[in-house]
């Protein structure tokens, strides 16, 4: 067998021992914690998942991000074994677990409402799964102690669930899942029962916990800020399919589709026709781009904070417009600029140019003008 590698700037092709590929293969499989291949699911006549494929690396904090009803929970339940896919496979550490029942999968779920047992004290809630699996007491004690310390639950062990705050309930739910030492932890909208301030805190705690445990987390949310805060990688879902995946920065800076551009951070999307070379024709005129569009008719996008707002004409991709509205937001100002029939959103700092009625120039730097796939 030949192995082809890149060494410095040259491609090296070398003959390798037959014993080596097996080792390499095992390593590659071990890095792929969870793989979904072509999973489809319908409820009655409604198809909610359309051939979803994705691969999550071991130790990764992955997020499924999408609007309500796009199929996130259904996909998570298929991973957990709580729902059966109509087609497709689920692999855990390279092993096909599609037909393995939920309680035999090394996967635990923290549900949206935490689903704590109201008639059990915190300690018994946490130990419940371990007792059900008939672990010896010493092992139960060891795992409980580790989870209780990690989640700072020592003071609450004798309480009933209804004596806990939302944040404490969530920590109990996490402890109850983590004592099972699952390969993968699934979290379905884990912040939805918390108020906004606590949510921001818990997001950072969750991320720290995941990094400390070095476990694979798959987190479902419809909240883009939450996804950006916790994730190593975001899978953006829309209508039962994954539109784009990447690090928070990749997805934010380089949205691939109209949906992603507008769902994350509300970009300006301009209808466009491709011109000769690296230009597109839009309502703002002919604009220079840095990627060749794969379409004749499509769209380009730019983030509000990337649009230049100037009293004098910017050198490239400039247009003249009038400020229609300014919204003060403390650390920045959202300015709406009407250019022809378009209303561009620009995020900037307060200045003389930003008063309604002012005539201004906008500039769309080519390096920040994303050519969308569709
Ligand atoms: N058990 C079910 N029976 C019928 N329809 C369902 C069932 N579960 C989910 N759905 C439908 O499937 C779609 C996706 O739901 P879900 O996966 O819960 O979305 P999300 O978690 O992204 O909000 C929705 O239209 C929902 O109404
Ligand atoms: Mg859901």
């Amino acid at each position: 067998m030949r192995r082809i590698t890149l060494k410095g700037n040259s491609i090296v092709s070398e003959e390798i021992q037959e014993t080596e590929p097996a080792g390499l293969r095992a390593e590659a499989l071990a890095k792929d914690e969870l793989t979904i291949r072509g999973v489809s699911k319908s409820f009655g006549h409604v198809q909610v998942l359309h051939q979803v494929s994705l691969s999550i690396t071991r130790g990764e904090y992955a997020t499924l991000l999408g609007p309500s009803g796009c199929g996130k929970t259904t996909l998570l339940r298929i991973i957990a074994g709580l729902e059966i896919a109509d087609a497709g496979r689920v692999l855990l550490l390279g092993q096909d677990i599609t037909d393995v029942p939920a309680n035999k999968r090394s996967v635990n779920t923290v549900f949206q409402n935490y689903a704590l047992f109201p008639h059990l004290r915190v300690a018994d809630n946490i130990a419940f799964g371990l007792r059900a699996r008939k672990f010896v007491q010493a092992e139960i004690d060891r795992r409980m102690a580790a989870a209780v310390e990690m989640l700072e639950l020592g003071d609450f062990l004798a309480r009933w669930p209804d004596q806990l705050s939302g944040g404490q309930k969530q920590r109990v739910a996490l402890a109850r899942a983590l004592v099972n030492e699952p390969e993968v932890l699934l979290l379905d909208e884990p912040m939805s029962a918390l108020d906004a301030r606590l949510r921001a805190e818990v997001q950072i705690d969750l991320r720290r916990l995941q990094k400390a445990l070095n476990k694979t987390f798959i987190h479902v949310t419809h909240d883009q800020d939450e996804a950006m805060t916790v994730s190593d990688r975001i899978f953006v879902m829309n209508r039962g399919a994954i539109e784009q995946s990447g690090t928070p920065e990749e997805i934010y800076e380089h949205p691939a589709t109209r949906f992603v551009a507008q769902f994350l951070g509300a970009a300006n999307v301009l209808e466009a026709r491709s011109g000769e070379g690296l230009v597109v024709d839009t309502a703002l005129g002919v604009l220079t781009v840095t990627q060749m569009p794969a379409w004749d008719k499509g769209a380009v996008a730019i983030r509000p904070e990337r649009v230049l707002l100037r009293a004098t004409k910017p050198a490239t991709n400039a247009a003249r417009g009038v400020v229609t509205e300014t919204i003060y937001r403390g650390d920045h100002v959202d300015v709406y600029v009407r250019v022809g029939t378009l209303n561009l959103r620009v995020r900037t700092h307060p200045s003389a140019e930003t008063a309604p009625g002012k005539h201004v120039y906008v500039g769309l730097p080519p390096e920040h003008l994303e050519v969308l796939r569709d």
Side-chain angles (χ1 to χ4, degrees):
M1 188 174 165
R2 294 196 78 74
R3 177 171 61 188
I4 295 171
T5 48
L6 194 63
K7 284 195 180 141
N9 284 328
S10 47
I11 293 167
V12 179
S13 169
E14 58 196 337
E15 195 64 37
I16 53 169
Q17 297 289 321
E18 270 307 309
T19 49
E20 211 177 328
L24 287 177
R25 219 162 21 230
E27 203 178 290
L29 284 177
K31 273 174 52 192
D32 271 350
E33 176 85 81
L34 184 93
T35 305
I36 309 272
R37 283 202 195 126
V39 161
S40 294
K41 177 74 185 174
S42 296
F43 292 111
H45 298 300
V46 184
Q47 190 168 353
V48 299
L49 293 176
H50 302 267
Q51 300 215 19
V52 173
S53 293
L54 60 83
S55 196
I56 291 166
T57 308
R58 199 162 199 191
E60 192 170 34
Y61 201 134
T63 304
L64 304 175
L65 170 68
S68 176
C70 74
K72 305 180 297 293
T73 295
T74 305
L75 184 56
L76 211 65
R77 287 173 59 81
I78 288 171
I79 296 170
L82 301 168
E83 203 79 71
I84 306 295
D86 300 334
R89 313 305 297 174
V90 179
L91 283 79
L92 186 65
L93 288 173
Q95 294 242 323
D96 193 323
I97 58 161
T98 315
D99 303 315
V100 174
N103 61 0
K104 295 267 167 13
R105 296 185 185 194
S106 186
V107 169
N108 277 93
T109 309
V110 174
F111 295 98
Q112 198 160 356
N113 51 10
Y114 311 138
L116 299 181
F117 301 115
H119 60 288
L120 294 181
R121 291 180 192 270
V122 166
D124 297 321
N125 259 286
I126 298 173
F128 185 86
L130 299 176
R131 293 199 181 121
R133 287 159 69 197
K134 307 242 183 320
F135 277 97
V136 297
Q137 192 59 42
E139 182 63 10
I140 295 179
D141 292 345
R142 182 189 73 77
R143 293 189 182 202
M144 286 276 294
V148 165
E149 193 199 325
M150 176 90 56
L151 291 154
E152 296 174 21
L153 286 167
D155 294 341
F156 309 107
L157 292 174
R159 292 211 194 163
W160 302 100
D162 66 6
Q163 295 172 323
L164 301 174
S165 71
Q168 291 159 353
K169 279 185 198 160
Q170 193 202 38
R171 271 150 52 205
V172 175
L174 274 167
R176 194 177 58 173
L178 289 172
V179 290
N180 295 311
E181 300 185 351
E183 266 301 319
V184 177
L185 187 72
L186 308 178
L187 303 119
D188 193 353
E189 308 264 5
M191 311 288 174
S192 56
L194 309 179
D195 65 53
R197 198 145 50 101
L198 190 56
R199 216 177 285 165
E201 233 172 75
V202 173
Q203 284 163 9
I204 293 166
D205 287 346
L206 258 186
R207 186 178 165 80
R208 284 201 190 116
L209 177 71
Q210 186 268 342
K211 290 287 166 258
L213 290 167
N214 196 25
K215 274 207 188 297
T216 308
F217 278 27
I218 307 177
H219 179 132
V220 156
T221 182
H222 65 273
D223 180 332
Q224 54 139 329
D225 283 334
E226 184 170 312
M228 302 273 280
T229 304
V230 298
S231 310
D232 294 317
R233 198 144 55 112
I234 299 175
F235 294 85
V236 184
M237 282 184 74
N238 183 27
R239 299 168 184 224
I242 289 169
E243 290 232 353
Q244 190 177 358
S245 70
T247 64
E249 189 178 343
E250 280 164 0
I251 300 239
Y252 187 84
E253 295 292 342
H254 306 293
T257 68
R258 286 173 202 256
F259 175 80
V260 175
Q262 288 175 325
F263 190 71
L264 266 97
N268 295 293
V269 174
L270 311 180
E271 300 304 318
R273 282 180 176 279
S274 67
E276 288 288 311
L278 286 171
V279 293
V280 293
D281 197 0
T282 72
L284 292 187
V286 173
L287 303 177
T288 299
V289 290
T290 58
Q291 308 140 269
M292 189 67 85
W295 34 254
D296 291 329
K297 202 164 166 284
V300 293
I302 187 162
R303 296 286 175 200
E305 67 274 24
R306 298 298 194 183
V307 179
L308 306 175
L309 191 63
R310 297 284 185 265
T312 54
K313 193 174 181 181
T316 42
N317 292 349
R320 194 155 167 76
V322 62
V323 174
T324 57
E325 209 176 340
T326 64
I327 302 167
Y328 179 73
R329 298 207 186 267
D331 60 345
H332 69 272
V333 179
D334 281 328
V335 180
Y336 289 86
V337 180
R338 179 156 292 285
V339 185
T341 56
L342 278 175
N343 209 7
L344 275 184
R345 183 167 153 192
V346 187
R347 172 173 285 202
T348 183
H349 295 284
S351 75
E353 282 91 62
T354 56
K358 288 268 183 182
H359 288 270
V360 291
Y361 283 102
V362 290
L364 282 55
E367 66 274 25
H368 297 305
L369 199 53
E370 294 294 318
V371 173
L372 302 179
R373 192 174 69 212
D374 53 24

